Amino acid sequence: MRFVKSKSWPWPVLRPYSHDYPRSEFQSFVDLDKLEGSTQLRIRAEFYLGDRNLRQLIEKDRARFALLVSCSTTHSRRYLESGSSPIEWYSENGWLTGRVEITPFIVAHRQIDSFRTSNWHEDYADRSFSIEAGCVLAVDKPSVHWIEPANETPISSIFQIAQDQSVERGTWKCDLHRDPDFVTLLLHPDDYALFQDARRQASRMQTAMYIMNGIYLPALAWLLVEADRAGEEELGERRWFDALNSALSRAECSNVGTEDADRLLDAQRILQRPFGRLPLLHGLEH
């Protein structure tokens, strides 16, 4: 379910940007922990519920806390619910990768007859509602998380590849503004097709990192210089900015904005000295 500020229900629902419950709040606190070297996740969500009547519904098992976990990359969805806070769940390795959205709810677990609460807006003061099992009683804003692919170098989650007819064959361009979530690498359509074919071939032989480094090493070095120049004030809201700083930290390099940093060397450190085992690439000739 997509979170829409203007969405309405036939009964009052406790949610942000609504006056249905002017004196109550429903908040969630979601943490994701990723197992090192994989995309297996532990998702933990704690809930704060300010309305006493809704809390009583949960205590009587007539309503439950719930999470909807959605991953657009793997087209996966999982619905989780619990009669108490927190909710904790472990996903399988590879089940969630890329963009993950987690939406917290309170839902009716059983039929609720003649429900009412004193915290409703005065427009509902003299009304009560019968609510069927599965219906929404409260919803919080979804949180968005980015999970790095396990079979690629972690820094590759910053970049996306796109075709651009105006780019000269054999060259590439970087675009910081096409998509706020990614740094876009623009290739001529012919080069784009060759890159994707080589990437698929390399992946089958477990050498995808070498193919990617041929593109990502110069792109990453360029990005580090540009990020130092623009700084956090201009780029700090971009999804990839924190990922870039995290990659620098893991490689024991200076954070974005550091003067006189050797960003070409830093790019090689982030990519784990990408050409150190280059002879292994001889298999691509066959």
Side-chain angles (χ1 to χ4, degrees), residues 94-129:
W95 197 83
L96 299 175
T97 187
R99 187 180 190 275
V100 176
E101 183 175 285
I102 302 177
T103 308
F105 295 94
I106 295 175
V107 297
H109 182 54
R110 302 177 185 174
Q111 172 80 22
I112 302 172
D113 296 318
S114 302
F115 178 63
R116 62 183 302 169
T117 172
S118 60
N119 285 325
W120 283 347
H121 190 274
E122 60 184 13
D123 290 347
Y124 301 106
D126 299 324
R127 301 190 61 185
S128 63
F129 296 87

Side-chain angles (χ1 to χ4, degrees), residues 101-168:
E101 183 175 285
I102 302 177
T103 308
F105 295 94
I106 295 175
V107 297
H109 182 54
R110 302 177 185 174
Q111 172 80 22
I112 302 172
D113 296 318
S114 302
F115 178 63
R116 62 183 302 169
T117 172
S118 60
N119 285 325
W120 283 347
H121 190 274
E122 60 184 13
D123 290 347
Y124 301 106
D126 299 324
R127 301 190 61 185
S128 63
F129 296 87
S130 293
I131 300 173
E132 297 181 0
C135 290
V136 174
L137 296 169
V139 59
D140 195 11
K141 292 184 295 184
S143 58
V144 175
H145 310 264
W146 294 88
I147 309 304
E148 297 166 347
N151 63 337
E152 298 186 356
T153 51
I155 199 64
S156 66
S157 66
I158 288 175
F159 296 101
Q160 66 177 356
I161 309 294
Q163 306 178 59
D164 191 319
Q165 189 71 43
S166 67
V167 177
E168 181 183 353

Side-chain angles (χ1 to χ4, degrees), residues 26 28-32 43-47 64-70 77-82 86-89 101-107 143:
F26 171 55
S28 59
F29 306 91
V30 179
D31 289 320
L32 274 72
I43 297 176
R44 178 184 171 88
E46 296 190 31
F47 304 90
R64 290 185 174 181
F65 297 111
L67 292 178
L68 181 62
V69 182
S70 303
R77 287 163 64 92
R78 179 66 59 89
Y79 175 77
L80 311 166
E81 66 175 37
S82 172
I87 291 178
E88 189 168 289
W89 176 65
E101 183 175 285
I102 302 177
T103 308
F105 295 94
I106 295 175
V107 297
S143 58

Side-chain angles (χ1 to χ4, degrees), residues 10 16 28 35 59 86 111 139 143 153 161 172 204 213 273 279 286:
S28 59
L35 187 65
E59 291 166 2
Q111 172 80 22
V139 59
S143 58
T153 51
I161 309 294
W172 52 267
R204 287 195 300 270
N213 286 337
R273 302 187 183 274
H286 302 292

